[in-house]
Amino acid sequence: MNRTLVVAGNWKMNKTAAEARELVDAMSAGLRSVENVERVLCPPYTSLPLLAEMLTGTGIGVGAQDMHWEEKGAFTGELSPSMVREFCEYVIIGHSERRAYFGETDETVNKKLRAALNNDIIPIVCVGETLDEYESGRTEEVVRRQIASGFADIDSANASRIIVAYEPVWAIGTGKASSAENANNVHKQFIRPALTELFGEENAQAIRIQYGGSVTAANASEFFSQSDIDGALVGGASLKPDEFIAIAKAAQP
Ligand code: PEP
């Protein structure tokens, strides 16, 4: 199955709107020159309108880093799916930092995932084990649980729109990326079979599974040469224009 690779930059809590303008100015020409790779930038909420405006017509998508599942109401500090949809085509759901620091659970991931699909927003759903879980050999159990609960009650017809990001927590922001072989094994032996159980073979084959965790220009092509690694979710390196452009270029077929 030929899957178009997708490279997304998660800026996390970095860049004011003025700084975001500079960063997009520094990387948009380079990113535009990349062919046959889906490219997405996920800035903080305050820069979503700016990026939506700057990237119109460039083929580079905009994503939010989170959203609430309810359409409106008394949820101070939150953004609804239609607020996100005004500016974004994508949304990151269940990032490990949201799970670790902000009480995100498989149940809230599931609500957000269903809300994203209902609102025509492409969800990038993060799964992955902690260092403890990795060292005690529980990777399969953890990602299977995150998928079984987080992806419950999704119509199979919608499943191919979902992007999964496998992000081992021990590799995020640590400079210690997983080996490409280990990540590919997790994608191929654990994640895609779990998706197949839920959505059937054909739909599961169409779902892109990104790797995330200390991806750089130096290691990107090793990841992208693997059979079941369909792109990357990039944190730190997405704030460095040359680095992020090089990662996107490495994903070209
Ligand atoms: C991330 O935040 O999703 C991530 C993978 O970060 P980094 O690339 O910095 O490890």
Side-chain angles (χ1 to χ4, degrees), residues 12-232:
K12 311 195 187 192
M13 197 175 73
N14 293 291
K15 306 295 172 188
T16 62
E19 291 164 346
R21 180 183 292 282
E22 282 176 23
L23 185 55
V24 173
D25 274 339
M27 62 168 75
S28 68
L31 283 182
R32 285 176 77 159
S33 72
V34 175
E35 290 178 355
N36 301 314
V37 178
E38 221 167 288
R39 294 137 293 160
V40 186
L41 299 179
C42 305
Y45 290 143
T46 49
S47 294
L48 290 175
L50 174 75
L51 264 71
E53 190 190 312
M54 291 181 83
L55 297 175
T56 299
T58 63
I60 303 164
V62 179
Q65 297 174 16
D66 187 27
M67 71 174 194
H68 201 275
W69 57 88
E70 291 286 352
E71 199 31 60
K72 61 181 170 189
F75 300 103
T76 301
E78 294 290 325
L79 294 192
S80 74
S82 36
M83 291 169 191
V84 166
R85 186 69 192 90
E86 271 190 294
F87 303 108
C88 302
E89 299 88 34
Y90 300 81
V91 62
I92 298 172
I93 294 172
H95 191 280
S96 64
E97 287 150 17
R98 304 256 11 128
R99 293 180 190 255
Y101 310 137
F102 302 101
E104 189 87 80
T105 62
D106 293 334
E107 195 184 353
T108 56
V109 166
N110 183 247
K111 289 179 178 175
K112 292 176 183 190
L113 172 55
R114 286 189 284 136
L117 292 170
N118 287 338
N119 285 275
D120 211 17
I121 306 168
I122 299 171
I124 300 175
V125 185
C126 303
V127 299
E129 79 285 4
T130 63
L131 182 61
D132 257 11
E133 291 162 342
Y134 174 67
E135 286 179 341
S136 54
R138 294 176 54 212
T139 302
E140 175 169 14
E141 172 202 326
V142 170
V143 298
R144 278 187 177 270
R145 187 208 69 226
Q146 288 171 330
I147 289 172
S149 314
F151 292 55
D153 300 320
I154 304 292
D155 188 346
S156 294
N158 285 328
S160 61
R161 290 159 52 207
I162 301 172
I163 298 169
V164 179
Y166 168 57
E167 299 208 308
V169 179
W170 47 269
I172 298 179
T174 58
K176 291 183 193 146
S178 161
S179 72
E181 292 74 20
N182 173 64
N184 196 54
N185 271 341
V186 174
H187 291 206
K188 198 171 171 168
Q189 313 290 354
F190 309 155
I191 296 180
R192 210 173 295 283
L195 296 169
T196 303
E197 278 168 28
L198 288 174
F199 305 124
E201 176 76 18
E202 197 178 330
N203 291 314
Q205 284 296 330
I207 295 175
R208 273 89 56 86
I209 308 175
Q210 298 174 309
Y211 167 75
S214 299
V215 174
T216 62
N219 63 21
S221 42
E222 217 182 314
F223 286 109
F224 300 150
S225 66
Q226 302 288 324
S227 64
D228 282 69
I229 298 184
D230 309 314

